Amino acid sequence: MTTDQKQIQAIFDRIAPVYDQLNDRLSLGQHRVWKLMTVKWIDLSIGDVCLDVCCGSGDLAQLVAQRVGETGQVFGVDFSSEQLAIAHQRSQNQHPPLPITWIEADALNLPFPDNHFDCATMGYGLRNVTNIPRCLQELHRVLKPGAKAAMLDFHRPSSPLLRSFQQWYLDNIVVPNAKELGLTEEYAYISPSLDKFPIGSEQVHLARQAGFDKATHYQIASGMMGVLVVAKA
Ligand SMILES: C/C(=C\Cc1cc(O)c2ccccc2c1O)CCC[C@H](C)CCC[C@H](C)CCCC(C)C
Ligand SMILES: C[S@@+](CC[C@H](N)C(=O)[O-])C[C@H]1O[C@@H](n2cnc3c(N)ncnc32)[C@H](O)[C@@H]1O
């Protein structure tokens, strides 16, 4: 694992105990709406075998598992053991139990065969991997022909006013709240990571280069978030 990957892994290990609570507080619960929208874009069916890449504490994996039913199967993959521990703990509290398997693995080297999954999700993961083209190639490899994937992440709004609001919110709401929990650096990482993140049209180009036949980027939350939806031919 590269130094950059170890640094990212350490960030998410450290924030794992408060990650869900801060997401709810800092997004006023809206991140759950954005995740529901993401799941709708992959056209799930009962019995599907699905993958949630960079699953973290398991929000998207749980939403997908609730929709594929007991004949389906969901694999949640993340390289943060602390995030996976939270994900596992949360899913243990579900009754009836959800068909989710949690796997500690690298999104850049997925431990699955080619053409294996009916669909995939990725929530706030694409911006955090250290090699986006490689991640998209791996996603393309493990999806079945005709399968879809949806990747939710931050996006910089084209509107200068909204872009200023987003930056103000990150600087004056997000980071100060994280500072109260001794996590200033971890949450201060979001802004520079967003500055380096490809814009929607560039994400579409990268998806096509990775082999996806169809790729569309949808802006949501007034352009402060976005969902890259891809389909394998
Ligand atoms: C679920 C959300 C973010 C997940 C997330 C992603 C990362 O890459 C991180 C990196 C380092 C630390 C934490 C994270 C992380 O939590 C989105 C909601 C939580 C956001 C922190 C809040 C961002 C809010 C928008 C910029 C503006 C929303 C305004 C509106 C009035 C709700
Ligand atoms: C912001 S969290 C997103 C968690 C969850 N998907 C959500 O929507 O809340 C990003 C996650 O990506 C994981 N991650 C980053 N790079 C990874 C990689 N190369 N392989 C596996 N997981 C990775 C981190 O450990 C972290 O749990």
Side-chain angles (χ1 to χ4, degrees):
M1 189 178 291
T2 65
T3 303
D4 283 352
Q5 282 187 298
K6 286 177 181 171
Q7 289 171 335
I8 289 166
Q9 187 182 50
I11 285 175
F12 290 101
D13 276 343
R14 284 198 299 269
I15 71 175
V18 299
Y19 177 77
D20 292 330
Q21 294 86 344
L22 272 181
N23 281 342
D24 280 323
R25 184 194 309 170
L26 295 171
S27 72
L28 308 180
Q30 289 304 294
H31 76 103
R32 297 187 182 283
V33 174
W34 305 331
K35 289 171 181 174
L36 275 171
M37 293 169 77
T38 302
V39 171
K40 285 185 185 297
W41 261 305
I42 54 173
D43 297 332
L44 276 177
S45 299
I46 297 283
D48 275 356
V49 178
C50 308
L51 173 66
D52 183 25
V53 187
C54 299
C55 64
S57 60
D59 277 352
L60 279 170
Q62 288 213 21
L63 287 176
V64 172
Q66 288 161 6
R67 286 156 176 77
V68 295
E70 57 189 21
T71 58
Q73 180 62 35
V74 180
F75 292 87
V77 172
D78 203 293
F79 68 6
S80 163
S81 58
E82 294 303 318
Q83 289 281 342
L84 285 175
I86 299 289
H88 190 267
Q89 180 185 53
R90 286 174 62 191
S91 63
Q92 291 291 87
N93 296 334
Q94 293 287 328
H95 300 289
L98 292 172
I100 306 175
T101 305
W102 306 106
I103 299 174
E104 186 173 339
D106 186 350
L108 305 183
N109 188 23
L110 292 169
F112 303 105
D114 298 358
N115 307 310
H116 189 69
F117 291 101
D118 296 299
C119 56
T121 50
M122 196 168 184
Y124 301 97
L126 197 61
R127 179 176 38 88
N128 288 301
V129 298
T130 55
N131 186 331
I132 293 177
R134 171 71 184 166
C135 183
L136 291 169
Q137 284 161 15
E138 274 293 89
L139 191 59
H140 183 269
R141 177 182 68 79
V142 301
L143 286 171
K144 289 179 182 175
K148 285 185 176 179
M151 293 159 268
L152 165 66
D153 222 309
F154 283 91
H155 187 260
R156 286 290 193 194
S158 50
S159 153
L161 181 61
L162 284 167
R163 191 185 183 105
S164 300
F165 170 75
Q166 182 186 55
Q167 192 58 48
W168 176 86
Y169 197 95
L170 289 170
D171 294 341
N172 297 282
I173 306 293
V174 172
V175 173
N177 270 273
K179 184 178 180 180
E180 288 175 11
L181 300 170
L183 295 168
T184 306
E185 282 182 30
E186 290 77 357
Y187 280 77
Y189 155 81
I190 294 175
S191 184
S193 75
L194 182 49
D195 289 338
K196 287 187 290 187
F197 193 43
I199 63 172
S201 57
E202 292 164 345
Q203 291 177 38
V204 167
H205 180 66
L206 289 170
R208 290 189 187 282
Q209 280 189 319
F212 286 102
D213 179 57
K214 294 175 184 171
T216 308
H217 183 268
Y218 299 96
Q219 294 186 29
I220 60 174
S222 304
M224 291 188 284
M225 301 289 159
V227 184
L228 175 65
V229 181
V230 296
K232 180 173 179 177

